[in-house]
Amino acid sequence: MRLLTLLTTCLSVAAAATLGKRAPTPGQLSQVTSFGNATTAAGFYIYVPKNLAASPGVIVAVHYCTGSAQAYYNGSPYAALAEQYGFIVIYPSSPHSGTCWDVSSKATLTHNGGGDSNTIANMATWTVSQYNADASKVFVTGSSSGAMMTNVLAATYPDIFKAAIVYSGVPAGCFVSASGAVDAWNSTCAQGNSIATPEAWTDVVKNMYLNYTGARPKMQIYHGSADTILLPQNYQETMKQWSGVFGYNYSQPQSTTLNNPQSGYTKTVYGESVQGIYAENVGHTVPIRGTDDMEFFGFAS
């Protein structure tokens, strides 16, 4: 009897260990517990659609403060869209108190420097390898703190991400902590008082990945005019940053269209790689526009 009990216990332990590394179940949000170099304790959740494409694309969807991978999975349209278009969705989950992302430390603001950005980038490369995904179709998006991380990932890992959609964030590097603190709040930035030239913001991006000369992800930036958490000036500063990175003239956009993509929204296009959408009377955060996201990422074209 004791032998049977011992055997049952050993089998249960073995089963639990196997469960931690079990392949994700198609059509369900699954946790990946072993994916190579995890520089922080950020959780890795993945949605592999039942209708998986032969060489699928990948979208990294990054949640907001107080959120989680599960909350963003339930509250965003990407899993349903994954079934329609056959791509994989990665839902990182913040390890920090309050579940904001670290967009302030030197580690996370440096290519391969450690920090949450490094961990999330490694989730993406693991997924590409495991699922024979199309490396030219790896994208990132997020809301609020996740939008901040989206800008950081676009700056620190332009070799991985090919396009990014930012829902109500701040420029990459705007939340930097003078003390190097992890997951620090920056009131100056949040209140829209971190104001710089396009050239200065461009240098911030380039300093995150020194000597990088390759392609950079095309950017789409959303922000609401009634945002009282990350004030609307952050939209202008983010547009300065990415227009500068791509060499566009911030003062002379290619086009500005009222009531696009809907009434009260204004779409400003600087060029093929940078566009902004300013939502009048919309607070924090701008609602996700899943169908439009599919067009920007190229799944629907």
Side-chain angles (χ1 to χ4, degrees), residues 100-258:
C100 294
W101 290 98
D102 175 20
V103 292
S104 61
S105 72
K106 182 173 177 57
T108 202
L109 297 175
T110 304
H111 178 77
N112 286 342
D116 290 338
S117 66
N118 205 162
T119 300
I120 294 171
N122 291 340
M123 294 176 189
T125 56
W126 181 91
T127 301
V128 170
S129 175
Q130 290 292 312
Y131 289 93
N132 191 33
D134 187 342
S136 71
K137 295 181 179 179
V138 180
F139 311 114
V140 60
T141 185
S143 300
S144 189
S145 183
M148 298 186 206
M149 177 55 76
T150 296
N151 274 324
V152 168
L153 288 167
T156 50
Y157 296 95
D159 51 336
I160 294 177
F161 298 103
K162 308 308 175 184
I165 300 176
V166 178
Y167 284 99
S168 305
V170 303
C174 189
F175 253 53
V176 65
S177 169
S179 66
V182 172
D183 184 31
W185 183 260
N186 187 317
S187 295
T188 301
C189 178
Q191 293 299 309
N193 293 321
S194 293
I195 298 174
T197 64
E199 293 76 16
W201 282 124
T202 297
D203 287 343
V204 170
V205 169
K206 292 185 175 179
N207 286 336
M208 292 186 191
Y209 192 171
L210 290 172
N211 302 318
Y212 178 77
T213 59
R216 294 187 181 272
K218 66 177 185 176
M219 304 297 299
Q220 186 176 65
I221 314 300
Y222 285 87
H223 215 101
S225 72
D227 195 328
T228 58
I229 305 298
L230 303 174
L231 268 63
Q233 184 62 35
N234 281 299
Y235 171 75
Q236 303 299 340
E237 300 308 305
T238 306
M239 299 313 299
K240 289 180 189 178
Q241 183 170 68
W242 292 112
S243 63
V245 167
F246 283 95
Y248 301 133
N249 186 338
Y250 169 73
S251 300
Q252 296 181 344
Q254 187 180 93
S255 65
T256 300
T257 310
L258 300 178

Side-chain angles (χ1 to χ4, degrees), residues 23 29 63-64 81 157 184 190 196 209 222 226 238 255 281 292-293:
L29 183 67
H63 68 74
Y64 43 86
L81 291 166
Y157 296 95
Y209 192 171
Y222 285 87
T238 306
S255 65
N281 297 321
D292 291 348
D293 290 358

